[in-house]
Amino acid sequence: MDTARDAREAALADACRLLGACVRLPTPELAASVADGSLAASVRALLPHLGCSEERMRSVVRRLVLCQPAEPAAALTSLRREYTRLFAHPVKPIVPICESLFTSALRGEDEKPLLMVNRRAMELDEVYRAAGYERTRSAAVPPDHMETELAFLTVLLDKRASADAAVFLERYAGTWAPTFFALVEDHARTPEYALFGSLGCACFER
């Protein structure tokens, strides 16, 4: 039994759950965890087990120091404002939150792919179906949404399906998550989203 690998995969699954909550519209529960400091405590507990470099660990810790407890309503307003600024602009989001849109923007393409029927989304839908994975959120959320990919990766890690998780990272989530979270960290205006970006970089460090 490789206990170090098991610990890393368990930590990665928990980190992906946390990141998934940050790449959808923030909830009062997420805001409460920011407000009372429990989110920062969770990140501190996970960080040593992610297997990232010392430099990346230091970067996450620097971001953690800047996250201070706050009043829950104010935390929720701040999180939702920053989420909207980064991901949900109707014309040109700073960081497109679906893989097809993200890679299209990186290539500088003017024409955006259709959200549900582009090649990548349909390919991922087939991957989920083949694995018996039923998406719990609305079908209106594209298969290549970052939250969806993180949720599926979490399921694979929770099942200890290491080989399947490795393939999914190599072919899908891992191809764009490092750049996605680096851009989140670079463009964030709040310490919380800078932390989420830095944690994502630690999870998907190449």
Side-chain angles (χ1 to χ4, degrees):
M1 180 187 297
D2 190 336
T3 55
R5 187 182 69 182
D6 287 348
R8 182 186 184 280
E9 291 184 355
L12 181 57
D14 285 341
C16 285
R17 264 186 283 273
L18 191 158
L19 291 170
C22 305
V23 294
R24 62 175 180 262
L25 185 67
T27 63
E29 291 75 19
L30 178 63
S33 71
V34 168
D36 66 14
S38 58
L39 183 141
S42 295
V43 174
R44 286 186 186 278
L46 290 172
L47 189 57
H49 305 290
L50 290 176
C52 59
S53 66
E54 290 291 330
E55 181 180 359
R56 176 46 63 184
M57 287 184 67
R58 287 193 293 270
S59 176
V60 176
V61 170
R62 286 196 297 271
R63 299 296 188 184
L64 275 167
V65 170
L66 298 175
C67 293
Q68 299 296 323
E71 195 275 325
L76 181 60
T77 297
S78 175
L79 287 168
R80 287 187 169 179
R81 183 180 295 122
E82 184 69 342
Y83 169 89
T84 300
R85 188 184 73 84
L86 287 169
F87 307 124
H89 191 282
V91 178
K92 192 172 183 180
I94 294 172
V95 188
I97 207 162
C98 292
E99 184 180 352
S100 53
L101 293 176
F102 184 85
T103 55
S104 174
L106 280 187
R107 291 192 295 263
E109 296 172 358
D110 293 327
E111 187 173 347
K112 295 179 182 178
L114 297 173
L115 280 181
M116 294 295 189
V117 295
N118 68 78
R119 182 179 301 173
R120 193 62 158 184
M122 291 188 292
E123 185 178 339
L124 279 161
D125 228 2
E126 184 54 39
V127 169
Y128 303 149
R129 261 195 303 273
Y133 174 66
E134 294 185 12
R135 294 191 283 143
T136 55
R137 295 214 45 221
S138 167
V141 178
D144 65 339
H145 192 288
M146 177 57 79
E147 181 198 358
T148 309
E149 295 196 29
L150 288 173
F152 181 65
L153 178 59
T154 300
V155 168
L156 295 178
L157 292 167
D158 283 343
K159 288 181 175 179
R160 298 189 177 184
S162 302
D164 292 338
V167 169
F168 188 73
L169 280 168
E170 181 182 352
R171 295 181 181 175
Y172 300 102
T175 65
W176 68 298
T179 307
F180 175 90
F181 285 109
L183 287 173
V184 172
E185 182 178 19
D186 288 347
H187 289 283
R189 291 179 181 171
T190 65
E192 292 78 20
Y193 268 93
L195 172 62
F196 302 152
S198 188
L199 177 62
C201 289
C203 290
F204 297 102
E205 188 174 51
R206 289 170 174 164

